[in-house]
Amino acid sequence: MHEVSIAAALVERAGELALAEGADTVSAVTVRVGELSGVVPDALDFAFEVVRAGTALSGARLVVEQVPARAYCGPCAAEFAVGVPPFFWCPRCDRPSQDLRSGRELAITAIETAPRAAT
């Protein structure tokens, strides 16, 4: 389950971003996960809950924005869903496509933080 290492990297990076913003804690991390990224959102959510313990994200929730896989067909200018397993054949003109427009994403898009306590 590689989602554990991905969740650990998300926790580490979100913690770094929070510190850069002058925050002590993170209350939410939003990530975009592409349909073809190889990441199972439920497994990522479970792994995130495990690896966040004892960190600045211990109370944080993970918000997953799922991105569907879409391809573009140059000959007819159609954009179409690829699906899983992926099928890169244009439904409009019946030609293969090699232009994947979305579906491989795996990125933090936002974090919600709490300001540092005054000392």
Side-chain angles (χ1 to χ4, degrees):
M1 182 161 95
H2 68 283
E3 282 82 0
V4 173
S5 60
I6 293 168
L10 290 173
V11 167
E12 181 180 349
R13 182 64 182 140
E16 292 169 354
L17 292 169
L19 285 175
E21 290 183 10
D24 282 334
T25 59
V26 175
S27 57
V29 179
T30 302
V31 294
R32 290 176 55 87
V33 176
E35 187 175 31
L36 300 178
S37 68
V39 175
V40 177
D42 287 341
L44 181 61
D45 189 51
F46 177 78
F48 183 82
E49 287 186 29
V50 172
V51 300
R52 72 182 180 175
T55 72
L57 286 84
S58 62
R61 71 185 190 288
L62 182 65
V63 179
V64 176
E65 297 174 347
Q66 295 185 16
V67 181
R70 299 199 53 86
Y72 177 78
C73 177
C76 74
E79 189 172 296
F80 58 95
V82 173
V84 175
F87 187 69
F88 294 94
W89 208 265
C90 179
R92 183 186 289 171
C93 72
D94 201 30
R95 293 182 188 180
S97 172
Q98 296 180 2
D99 188 358
L100 184 63
R101 293 283 169 105
S102 66
R104 291 187 188 156
E105 297 82 358
L106 180 57
I108 296 174
T109 58
I111 62 170
E112 292 176 21
T113 61
R116 286 189 181 159
T119 55

